[in-house]
Amino acid sequence: MEKVVWDDRFKIGVEVVDRAHAKLFRIVNKLFDLSQDGSTNQAAYKEGIKYLEGYTMTHFSEEEAYMRSIRYGGYAEHKRIHDNFRNKTLVSLKRDLELSGYSLAAIQRFVGIANRWLSEHIMLEDQAIVGRAVRQKKRDRSSQIEIISRTVGRAVHDVLQADTKLVSSEYKGQNIGNGYYCGQCYDMGGGVVLQLLLGVEDILFLRGIERIPGICKREMTEHDTLNVFEQLFLKMGRLFKVETEPEFGLENLMSRDQFRQEFMKGCPCSLLFGTRSGALVFCYRSWREKR
C-alpha cells in the first residue's frame, strides 16, 4: 500500500471541490501514517475514520449541489456512485474493521480501498464534470457479484465454519496480511480455461482448519492445507458449472508473490471478504488458449 499525495493532476478547477479533495487526501494520509505505527490505539483509528466519514458526506453534498447548479448531464449516475460508496462500501469497510477488532491488516485494507477509490473517482468521475474525462458507463455486475458472494460465503461457512461479509467488489491487490494462497485451472471446453484464485488470511485459515477432526491433535501439513483448499474449490467450482474436476496437488499452492503475479494478469471479478477471524480474497479469470 502506497500513500497517494495530492497534487495538481487531481484539480478539476472548481475551488470548493478541489479544496475538499485536498482535505480528504490529508485525512486519508493521516490514517495511512497511523497504520504504519503499530502502537496506535483503536480509539485513534475510530476517531479518524469517523472524521473521514463525516467530511466525505459533507463533500458529497457540496459537490452534488455544484453539479445541479451547472445542470451536469451525468448528475444522476454520479450521485448513484456517491450513494453506493456511502451506503455500501463504507458500511462494509466499517463492518470489516469491527469483525477484526480493528486489526492492523483491516485498517490497512480500509486505508488502501479509501485511497484508491478517492484517486480513481477524482480522475474519472470528477474530471468528467468539467469535461476533462469521458465518463464511461460501467456494466452493472451487481446480480453476478451477489450470486458469487453467496456461493463463496456458503463454501467458507461449510469448510472453515466462518460467516463472510463482502467488503469490496473491486479488490485491487491490497495486502490481506500473512495468508495461504491457492489457484486452480479448469478446462471449460472449446479451448476456454477458467482460473480461480483464493487467498485466506492465516488466522482465518488456521481457526477453520482446527475444526477438522484429527488435525488439531497433530501438526498441520501441506497436505492438510491442500485438502482444505480442495474442499473450497470443489464447492466454488460448481458456480461455474465445472463438470470435470482436474487433479489437485501441491503445485496448486501458491506463495503470496505467485498469487499476486496471477492476479495482476487481470481478473474481471475480484472480491474481498471479511470475517470475525480474518479476510479472504476470491478472484477468477478466463481465457481462450491459442491452438
Side-chain angles (χ1 to χ4, degrees), residues 78-95:
H78 199 124
K79 186 177 187 306
R80 186 193 67 77
I81 294 171
H82 282 176
D83 292 344
N84 187 67
F85 183 76
R86 176 194 299 114
N87 301 327
K88 294 183 179 179
T89 304
L90 269 181
V91 170
S92 294
L93 285 171
K94 290 193 297 182
R95 176 66 172 166

Side-chain angles (χ1 to χ4, degrees), residues 124-230:
L124 294 176
E125 303 297 339
D126 290 342
Q127 293 289 354
I129 297 173
V130 293
R132 292 181 185 168
V134 178
R135 182 180 59 80
Q136 296 181 344
K137 186 174 182 179
K138 296 182 179 179
R139 179 185 173 191
D140 185 4
R141 299 187 299 119
S142 57
S143 60
Q144 177 192 41
I145 289 171
E146 184 178 350
I147 293 170
I148 295 174
S149 180
R150 286 201 304 268
T151 301
V152 173
R154 284 196 297 267
V156 173
H157 181 271
D158 291 346
V159 179
L160 298 177
Q161 302 298 301
D163 294 323
T164 60
K165 176 74 175 180
L166 183 63
V167 174
S168 174
S169 60
E170 295 183 358
Y171 171 76
K172 295 292 185 180
Q174 301 90 346
N175 186 7
I176 63 170
N178 295 325
Y180 293 83
Y181 301 90
C182 193
Q184 178 65 298
C185 289
Y186 304 86
D187 181 357
M188 303 299 288
V192 176
V193 178
L194 169 73
Q195 181 186 47
L196 304 186
L197 297 172
L198 197 59
V200 185
E201 194 170 356
D202 56 1
I203 187 170
L204 168 60
F205 193 90
L206 293 172
R207 286 186 178 177
I209 208 170
E210 284 175 357
R211 296 182 172 92
I212 298 177
I215 293 181
C216 60
K217 297 180 180 179
R218 58 175 169 79
E219 186 176 349
M220 188 179 75
T221 67
E222 278 190 323
H223 289 283
D224 293 326
T225 302
L226 191 68
N227 177 261
V228 172
F229 273 119
E230 186 172 17

Side-chain angles (χ1 to χ4, degrees), residues 25-80:
F25 270 93
R26 290 196 297 272
I27 298 170
V28 172
N29 284 333
K30 177 63 176 178
L31 286 169
F32 176 92
D33 292 337
L34 288 174
S35 73
Q36 305 305 299
D37 182 0
S39 64
T40 303
N41 61 42
Q42 188 178 122
Y45 288 132
K46 286 184 175 180
E47 189 62 30
I49 290 168
K50 181 179 179 181
Y51 185 64
L52 171 65
E53 182 180 17
Y55 191 77
T56 299
M57 298 309 104
T58 298
H59 163 59
F60 282 175
S61 295
E62 292 177 344
E63 188 173 88
E64 289 164 13
Y66 173 76
M67 286 189 287
R68 290 194 300 271
S69 74
I70 63 170
R71 300 181 182 277
Y72 174 52
Y75 171 79
E77 175 63 13
H78 199 124
K79 186 177 187 306
R80 186 193 67 77

